[in-house]
Every structure is written in structure tokens, then in C-alpha cells.
Amino acid sequence: MKPIAFANPSAPVLAALDLGTNNCRLLVARPHAQGFDVLDSFSRIVRLGQGLGQDGRLSDAAQERTLAALRVCARIMAKRQVGLARCVATAACRQASNGAAFLDRVRKNTGISFEILGAEEESRLAFLGCLPLIDRAARHVLVIDIGGGSTELFWLERCPIEGPVHRCALSVPIGVVGLAEMFGGGANGATFQAMVDRVETAFRPLEERHGINAGITGQPVQMLGTSGTVTTLAALHMKLTRYDRRRVDGVALAQDAIRDVAERLQRMTHAQRAAHGCIGPGRADLVIAGCAILEAIQRIWPMPSLRVADRGVREGILHLLAGRSLAADLATDAMGA
């Protein structure tokens, strides 16, 4: 793909559309030398992966909800005269036996062509989207993306001789939607611990295989989280009554703060979570499952703090469409710029 000339004020409008297990999210922007200016955005909870764990298929109701949201996305892209777009589907369509058939139906009904994103490419795009928040002093960087249908981890090491080296991209098909359906959305006490144990059991072999803890011991490390789970935890820790991306994006959370908020969420009823301006009814039954995933990750890869990113795959796609790449940015030490 040819880079877009940033000096050209008529550079084409770009769009990134991320269809996940829980959310459908669109970002429309125009590139410039320092990044891009957002022109429009859209986000809707569609629960595409609801019930997927029962029969391995996308339900008719979930498909209809998602199609309705994608029709809105198509209208926005047409209105903004998008010149270049990349539309990706993640875990739900990767895992569903009828995922490809559904995306073919989407193309026929909306004109939007999707690609089913592999887990490693998904983690790379999330990392690229988060580059501005990476600490230049960190020798190792772990980026965690807790999704609706899967959880990804990207590990990068800065080597004095080799330069930045991508060590591994790990993925486990456990996300907040499936975990909440498995254990219940209001889990507390023993049930919450069972959720944590379930996730830890799935991730522990990856640590044994890749030896991340041994590789990072005694060296400056940064853990960064990009997902609705970590942004919600940050907003609640900051005692926000309504979510504010400008205040949340980039904030650091200590481990104790994360656990304190997770315990507070477990004490709340479903109605209380649904009524909170930083959670809402669409995620009230998912946020505790997200806390369990994060707790399991912290058990395996303990870090003193987690930096929160309200950015990820969509921003990574926009950077790629604008001619940037992960390899090029790392080579020029763009992390933290």
C-alpha cells in the first residue's frame, strides 16, 4: 500500500471498522504529519458472539442486531466520502462455523467487505494503535487486549544490539462474553475465583512455553491494557460519573487500585452496574468477567501498574492506511513519541 502524502490537504478520508464479539466500532479520520484528525465515530454493542459457546454459530438475532449497526456504518462512510477503508472482524467470526457466511451476507446487504483478522495480526494492530502511550524507558512492553471473544497479549523487547524485537503474540479464545455466559455476569466470591482460575489455566501454558517472566525479571517493564475492561476500571477508580476518554486514556493504575475497583464491582448489583454512567446496561453483565481475566493475567505476569489505553485496533488500522507500519515505527524508536 502506498503511503498517503501528509502534506496534501486533500488526502483521502480513512476509515477503520472493527467488528468484535461484543462491539461494532467505526473510526473515520483524515491523516496528517502527526497522526490523524477524527472526523466521525460510531460504537454500538451488538453482542454478535452471544450464545456462540453453546453451538459454535452466530445466532439469527445477533446477526440482525449487527447488520442494523453496520448499515449505520455504511451510511457514515458514504456521507464522509471515505476514500480508503479497512474493515476487520475478530474472534466471533473467527470461531463461528457460519462466520464467513455472515460476512458474505453483510457484503451483499451493506456493501462493506470484511476480512477475518487472525489473532496475531489483531494483537499487532492493537500494539500499533497504542504506540504513543509506550514508555521509552521500558525494556520490555506487554500489551493486553481483553476482547469479547478472545484475549491477546503482545510482548516486545528492546535489545541494545538488535533493536526492538517482537518476542511473541499470544491469544486465548476466552473473552468477556463467553466467560460471563459460562459463569454468570454477577459472579462474586467463590464464583469469581473460579473464573480467575479458569482463565489462569488457559494462559499458564503460554508462560511456560515462552518464559516471559524469566525474560523480563530485573528489567524496566511496562504493561499496557486496551479494552473496555481496563478503561472502565480506570473511570471507576477516578470516580467519574460519566465516561471521559480524555481523562482515561493514558492513566496508570496500580495493582491495588485495580483489585479495589474489581471488589467494588462485585459488591454492586446488576442494576447498580447498569445504572452507572461508566458501565451501562450493555456491559453490566460483562465487566466482572473482564476483571477476572485481568486478575488472572496479573497472577501470571505480575506488574506494579497497568497503563490504560482507550485506543487499539482501529487506531492501528488508521496508521497502516496512512502508510505507517509497526516495523518502521519501532525502527525509528517512535514508541512514546
Side-chain angles (χ1 to χ4, degrees):
M1 184 180 300
K2 293 182 179 180
I4 294 171
F6 293 152
N8 182 0
S10 61
V13 175
L14 311 178
L17 178 52
D18 177 11
L19 178 58
T21 302
N22 192 48
N23 284 66
C24 171
R25 295 176 292 185
L26 171 70
L27 201 57
V28 180
R30 190 184 298 278
H32 57 72
Q34 286 73 44
F36 47 82
D37 292 323
V38 174
L39 303 178
D40 215 330
S41 64
F42 173 82
S43 179
R44 180 179 295 178
I45 293 175
V46 295
R47 295 289 182 99
L48 178 60
Q50 189 170 38
L52 180 60
Q54 299 172 12
D55 60 6
R57 294 179 57 83
L58 304 176
S59 71
D60 291 341
Q63 291 184 52
E64 293 303 323
R65 289 194 301 268
T66 305
L67 269 173
L70 291 174
R71 290 188 184 102
V72 176
C73 293
R75 290 197 294 269
I76 292 173
M77 289 192 285
K79 176 185 175 182
R80 292 294 183 177
Q81 298 181 314
V82 170
L84 194 59
R86 186 178 181 186
C87 307
V88 301
T90 55
C93 289
R94 280 200 302 266
Q95 298 168 14
S97 61
N98 60 341
F102 169 64
L103 295 181
D104 186 56
R105 182 185 174 199
V106 168
R107 180 183 57 79
K108 293 175 180 177
N109 279 266
T110 68
I112 301 174
S113 295
F114 276 92
E115 62 177 293
I116 298 179
L117 207 61
E120 182 167 340
E121 176 67 6
E122 182 180 356
S123 68
R124 285 177 176 272
L125 286 172
F127 190 96
L128 179 58
C130 294
L131 275 178
L133 296 179
I134 302 300
D135 184 358
R136 285 184 181 273
R139 176 71 181 272
H140 295 267
V141 181
L142 294 174
V143 176
I144 301 162
D145 185 0
I146 302 173
S150 65
T151 299
E152 280 75 38
L153 185 143
F154 187 100
W155 176 26
L156 181 128
E157 179 183 8
R158 283 195 181 95
C159 297
I161 299 176
E162 301 172 77
V165 177
H166 167 220
R167 291 301 181 192
C168 62
L170 312 177
S171 180
V172 170
I174 296 177
V176 296
V177 174
L179 196 63
E181 290 179 352
M182 189 183 306
F183 287 92
N188 54 56
T191 304
F192 180 77
Q193 290 306 314
M195 294 170 75
V196 175
D197 292 342
R198 171 71 178 85
V199 180
E200 185 177 3
T201 298
F203 264 105
R204 182 66 68 179
L206 301 179
E207 161 58 25
E208 295 170 356
R209 186 181 311 148
H210 296 279
I212 295 175
N213 277 326
I216 64 180
T217 299
Q219 301 183 56
V221 182
Q222 180 186 27
M223 180 177 279
L224 192 146
T226 167
S227 68
T229 293
V230 296
T231 56
T232 299
L233 289 174
L236 294 175
H237 172 68
M238 298 167 72
K239 295 182 170 54
L240 302 182
T241 56
R242 298 193 65 81
Y243 187 78
D244 186 343
R245 179 190 186 278
R246 294 169 299 178
R247 296 184 62 182
V248 169
D249 187 45
V251 72
L253 291 179
Q255 274 197 15
D256 289 346
I258 293 172
R259 293 193 172 107
D260 177 69
V261 176
E263 290 172 3
R264 195 190 332 156
L265 282 166
Q266 292 175 61
R267 292 193 296 269
M268 296 169 67
T269 65
H270 181 277
Q272 288 172 329
R273 293 194 299 273
H276 197 291
C278 296
I279 304 173
R283 299 183 60 251
D285 62 334
L286 304 179
V287 65
I288 291 180
C291 291
I293 294 173
L294 186 55
E295 171 65 22
I297 289 172
Q298 289 180 310
R299 283 186 184 180
I300 301 171
W301 298 289
M303 303 282 169
S305 67
L306 172 77
R307 194 170 190 190
V308 176
D310 188 341
R311 57 182 78 200
V313 170
R314 292 179 303 165
E315 288 80 2
I317 289 173
L318 289 177
H319 285 312
L320 285 181
L321 292 178
R324 298 177 65 179
S325 71
L326 184 57
D329 281 359
L330 293 178
T332 56
D333 198 26
M335 293 193 299

